[in-house]
Amino acid sequence: MPDPKFITTPLKTDKMPPGIPFIIGNEAAERFNFYGMRAILVVFMTQYLRDRSGALAPMNENQANEWYHWFLASNYFFPAFGAILADAFWGKYRTIFWLSLVYCAGSIALAVDGTRMGLFLGLTLIALGSGGIKPCVSSNVGDQFGSENKHLISRAFGWFYFSVNFGSFFSILLIPWLLEKYGPAPAFGVPAVLMLVATVIFWSGRYKFVHIPPGGKTFLRDTFTREGFAALGRLAIIFAFVAIFWSLWDQSGGEWVLQAAKMNLHFMGIDWIASQIQAVNAIMILAFIPLFQYVIYPAINRVFPLTPLRKIGLGLIVTGLSFLVSAWIETQIGAGLKPNIGWQMPAYALLSAGEVMVSITSLEFAYTQSPRHMKSIVMALYLWSITLGNAFTALVHWFIANPDGTLKLHGAAYYNFFAYLSIGCVAVWVFVAKAYKEKTYLQGENPVPLADAASET
């Protein structure tokens, strides 16, 4: 039985819903865990991994990158199950709470067992827990809003994304330092503690949230119909292109880290750890969110109307340009030179700009474009784009590996391949975006065309 103290419909207010601070606090702590663990994962696999006897048994770089992307792919595959569990049976709150405990168990497993068995167990539990809560947490943001405060939903998603980068910034600086100074146990242990904190924060807000009741058999009947599949099919075409963005973006935690390790890491008077450089992405995102919202987007709008789909197309181009910078860095490394890590800064700036245009836009688009009873399942479909992107990258690593350990595609050619893929797909994206008809669906409302919704706010 649901607690009668739970709020089940959005409050009648034109202010920010009271549950939003708890969601944002939870997200900041959870992302500290995930990005801290993610920042050192490839380094751990290539330098610290041990066998059952305790002897060092590391992976080579290509194998570690393949494992890394398969983990990310699985992490974003499980949201579909979390979405069905939330929308049909448990509701979002119970799903997030209980799967967060599974997530905590995986983080603890990584901290206490440095073998491949501990790695496999820990990453599996994290994929189940983190993956299961993903579509619920972000769609839970949108559930807090009704017709009177829907004009604040973009701001809430902006703060939600701000919390992601706020948590990840500090963890990416701290966790690689802990790994280098104290080893894997503290480096994985601190994120585990933060995941426990995230769970407590979420539990503390249980009477502030809007708890949309699960749909039960009605949800299953309404979702898995011809109309439901048609809605999923329309959005799936959009998210297939978003997958290309994630194929590139997630390499910043693997391939770009290994590239950084081959560069001169003395920059701005500091000797950096290779895996710490990812923190600049979080800094740039924190700066770029208001820059794009209040300066760049309005400036572009004065030239031509900037719809969500046009933002995504521009973001794919900018993301591809970041890999052209990485390709140039590889040419310098291939010549025996040791370029300064400062040369990765333009690549991160372009990647972060692409992230603002593609990721934040897609997150809001996935919520507003899905029918009310399908919010979590559509968010899961969006997250499958991350699975598809990482699975593609993992398969590239598998395909290019020769039996003798050499690679069919390496150095600048590797990065150019992904740059051309991202930029080139926009030629097709233009026609897909023109054909898509946008509508918004918010809790407690009938669907309205996006233009009408914008005029009402």
Side-chain angles (χ1 to χ4, degrees):
M1 287 290 293
D3 193 318
K5 296 179 183 178
F6 286 166
I7 304 168
T8 56
T9 58
L11 298 175
K12 299 294 184 180
T13 177
D14 60 354
K15 295 180 171 57
M16 193 66 72
I20 294 297
F22 292 92
I23 297 174
I24 289 174
N26 163 266
E27 186 69 6
E30 187 272 327
R31 292 290 87 182
F32 183 103
N33 171 291
F34 186 80
Y35 281 100
M37 175 274 298
R38 175 185 179 273
I40 61 173
L41 193 54
V42 170
V43 176
F44 170 73
M45 289 188 287
T46 55
Q47 298 181 22
Y48 294 87
L49 194 61
R50 297 181 178 274
D51 60 21
R52 298 296 294 275
S53 69
L56 281 174
M59 302 178 185
N60 63 47
E61 289 186 0
N62 194 64
Q63 185 183 20
N65 279 323
E66 183 180 344
W67 273 60
Y68 170 78
H69 287 290
W70 279 125
F71 161 66
L72 292 179
S74 63
N75 190 76
Y76 292 97
F77 174 78
F78 288 111
F81 301 99
I84 294 173
L85 191 62
D87 281 354
F89 303 108
W90 284 3
K92 295 183 183 70
Y93 170 76
R94 290 178 63 197
T95 301
I96 294 170
F97 178 76
W98 289 109
L99 289 181
S100 290
L101 296 180
V102 175
Y103 193 165
C104 291
S107 299
I108 293 170
L110 283 181
V112 300
D113 189 345
T115 67
R116 292 200 180 201
M117 179 61 71
L119 179 70
F120 176 79
L121 177 62
L123 295 183
T124 299
L125 291 174
I126 289 172
L128 284 168
S130 175
I133 69 175
K134 271 182 171 58
C136 308
V137 173
S138 51
S139 61
N140 198 32
V141 173
D143 283 352
Q144 308 309 305
F145 292 86
S147 59
E148 296 184 16
N149 59 357
K150 66 183 179 183
H151 60 286
L152 296 174
I153 193 170
S154 292
R155 186 179 301 175
F157 273 109
W159 279 109
F160 180 81
Y161 216 82
F162 183 95
S163 71
V164 170
N165 290 280
F166 183 83
S168 66
F169 169 69
F170 290 103
S171 66
I172 291 171
L173 288 180
L174 176 63
I175 302 308
W177 178 81
L178 287 176
L179 179 66
E180 187 170 271
K181 297 296 182 182
Y182 300 103
F188 287 122
V190 170
V193 171
L194 264 292
M195 188 57 219
L196 289 169
V197 170
T199 306
V200 171
I201 292 173
F202 184 76
W203 175 82
S204 300
R206 63 196 182 281
Y207 296 127
K208 302 290 186 181
F209 301 137
V210 175
H211 297 250
I212 303 298
K217 292 180 179 179
T218 301
F219 162 78
L220 296 175
R221 184 181 66 245
D222 292 345
T223 299
F224 299 105
T225 62
R226 179 179 298 179
E227 182 181 0
F229 282 119
L232 293 176
R234 288 193 299 270
L235 287 167
I237 296 171
I238 300 297
F239 296 153
F241 288 86
V242 176
I244 296 174
F245 164 78
W246 288 112
S247 177
L248 275 67
W249 190 90
D250 274 318
Q251 294 189 50
S252 64
E255 290 81 351
W256 283 22
V257 171
L258 296 176
Q259 183 186 73
K262 300 167 187 172
M263 301 174 72
N264 177 5
L265 292 169
H266 186 78
F267 180 64
M268 298 181 65
I270 300 173
D271 290 319
W272 297 88
I273 299 170
S275 50
Q276 286 181 321
I277 303 301
Q278 303 167 70
V280 302
N281 170 250
I283 298 172
M284 290 175 177
I285 289 295
L286 296 180
F288 284 2
I289 288 174
L291 177 65
F292 274 75
Q293 290 289 344
Y294 298 109
V295 179
I296 295 177
Y297 287 160
I300 296 175
N301 260 320
R302 286 194 288 269
V303 180
F304 63 89
L306 192 58
T307 65
L309 296 181
R310 286 177 177 174
K311 290 179 185 177
I312 293 172
L314 290 173
L316 287 168
I317 294 173
V318 172
T319 303
L321 294 177
S322 74
F323 268 62
L324 291 180
V325 177
S326 296
W328 178 85
I329 293 173
E330 283 295 318
T331 63
Q332 303 304 298
I333 294 173
L337 302 176
K338 200 173 181 69
N340 190 274
I341 194 62
W343 286 109
Q344 275 198 345
M345 298 305 109
Y348 272 106
L350 290 165
L351 189 73
S352 300
E355 182 178 355
V356 171
M357 288 186 274
V358 177
S359 183
I360 297 179
T361 304
S362 298
L363 189 65
E364 182 180 346
F365 192 82
Y367 184 84
T368 61
Q369 297 299 298
S370 59
R372 289 187 300 276
H373 65 285
M374 297 176 66
K375 296 297 185 185
S376 289
I377 199 71
V378 169
M379 194 60 66
L381 181 68
Y382 161 68
L383 293 172
W384 269 7
S385 71
I386 308 179
T387 290
L388 182 61
N390 278 280
F392 176 78
T393 307
L395 288 171
V396 169
H397 280 285
W398 174 80
F399 179 77
I400 66 175
N402 293 318
D404 62 357
T406 59
L407 301 175
K408 300 181 181 74
L409 189 68
H410 59 88
Y414 175 88
Y415 289 101
N416 280 327
F417 167 76
F418 284 96
Y420 300 150
L421 174 68
S422 186
I423 296 171
C425 77
V426 177
V428 180
W429 171 257
V430 170
F431 297 99
V432 172
K434 283 184 177 180
Y436 187 87
K437 304 300 181 184
E438 297 181 32
K439 289 184 178 180
T440 58
Y441 299 81
L442 297 176
Q443 296 295 352
E445 292 189 337
N446 293 322
V448 293
L450 189 64
D452 294 344
S455 65
E456 291 172 10
T457 61

